[in-house]
């Protein structure tokens, strides 16, 4: 049974930073893709960043240069370092995982419960 548990959300002022973590359980890293997604009230869920088993990363244009996705295999934990946060980054953030490389698409089969990020101006 694959389980993903996010943490690290919170409230910050514009320009601030947060690091989200996603602890994974029951998931093999032999062949994988993992990603971060977000959903703001009244908006559709969107892909933010993804990393595959080759270490290749992809980012939404809106976060390039500000967010960094990384994976610590020893700790079975996925991270999202978010710098220079803007009010428009306010959303519920979810991590996702699968054995197929879905990149920033929403087809992932395994999802966490989400962690809230709020950025005030």
């Amino acid at each position: 049974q694959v389980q993903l548990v996010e943490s690290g959300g919170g409230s910050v002022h514009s320009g601030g930073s947060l690091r989200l973590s996603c602890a994974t359980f029951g998931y093999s890293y032999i062949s994988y893709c993992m990603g971060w997604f977000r959903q703001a009230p009244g908006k559709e869920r969107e892909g933010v960043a993804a990393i595959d088993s080759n270490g290749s990363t992809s980012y939404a244009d809106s976060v390039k240069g500000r967010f960094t996705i990384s994976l610590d295999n020893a700790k079975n934990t996925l991270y999202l370092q978010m710098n220079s946060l803007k009010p428009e980054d306010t959303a519920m953030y979810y991590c996702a995982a699968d054995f197929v490389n879905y990149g920033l698409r929403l087809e992932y089969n395994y999802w966490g419960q989400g962690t809230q990020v709020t950025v005030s101006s």
Side-chain angles (χ1 to χ4, degrees):
Q1 181 73 17
V2 176
Q3 287 185 308
L4 308 175
V5 181
E6 302 98 333
S7 61
S11 297
V12 297
H13 290 296
S14 182
S17 298
L18 284 173
R19 189 177 78 158
L20 305 183
S21 300
C22 174
T24 64
F25 305 91
Y27 187 67
S28 168
Y29 291 97
I30 295 175
S31 177
Y32 65 85
C33 187
M34 299 189 71
W36 287 99
F37 296 77
R38 66 186 181 186
Q39 187 167 18
K43 294 188 177 181
E44 294 185 352
R45 190 172 297 189
E46 62 176 357
V48 174
I51 185 167
D52 67 19
S53 55
N54 295 317
S56 296
T57 58
S58 56
Y59 295 92
D61 287 343
S62 59
V63 305
K64 282 181 181 178
R66 299 189 298 122
F67 291 9
T68 303
I69 188 171
S70 61
L71 178 64
D72 187 331
N73 286 321
K75 296 182 178 180
N76 290 347
T77 301
L78 179 72
Y79 299 100
L80 184 68
Q81 178 66 45
M82 304 186 296
N83 299 327
S84 302
L85 282 162
K86 305 175 181 180
E88 51 263 44
D89 295 317
T90 295
M92 184 72 78
Y93 282 71
Y94 301 88
C95 69
D98 212 302
F99 300 102
V100 176
N101 190 344
Y102 290 119
L104 297 179
R105 305 197 309 272
L106 297 175
E107 284 95 328
Y108 289 79
N109 284 295
Y110 305 104
W111 293 84
Q113 82 290 349
T115 185
Q116 178 67 37
V117 171
T118 302
V119 184
S120 58
S121 58

